[in-house]
Amino acid sequence: MNVPREKLGLPGTGEVDILNVKCEPLAGDLLRQFAGFLPAYHMNRTHWVSILLDGTVSDDKIRGLLDASFQATAH
């Protein structure tokens, strides 16, 4: 989804593309320590993270997290 930078606490103007993924709370805490990962936008921040889709996070990492998120929400 496209989200205004200021809604995510990011500097600058305009919008950025993000993807929300579900994860375990400890994994979310760890991921948010790295560039490209933010507290979830419009979701429960304990179980979800937002990933910037600006090239900061590798496609392989995003795919892995997307697979894990799918498994977490499939039950």
Side-chain angles (χ1 to χ4, degrees):
M1 73 183 85
N2 293 330
V3 179
R5 297 178 72 80
E6 62 269 9
K7 296 269 186 185
L8 298 170
L10 297 173
T13 59
E15 296 183 334
V16 291
D17 292 324
I18 63 166
L19 172 69
N20 288 335
V21 294
K22 188 170 186 177
C23 59
E24 293 293 324
L26 290 177
D29 289 342
L30 178 64
L31 288 171
R32 284 187 288 275
Q33 295 178 27
F34 295 97
F37 295 96
L38 303 165
Y41 175 73
H42 237 30
M43 301 297 281
N44 178 313
R45 290 180 171 97
T46 301
H47 296 279
W48 294 80
V49 295
S50 290
I51 304 171
L52 288 176
L53 299 177
D54 64 354
T56 303
V57 180
S58 74
D59 289 346
D60 287 340
K61 182 72 169 175
I62 292 170
R63 279 188 209 95
L65 291 167
L66 192 56
D67 286 343
S69 180
F70 178 80
Q71 293 300 319
T73 59
H75 302 281

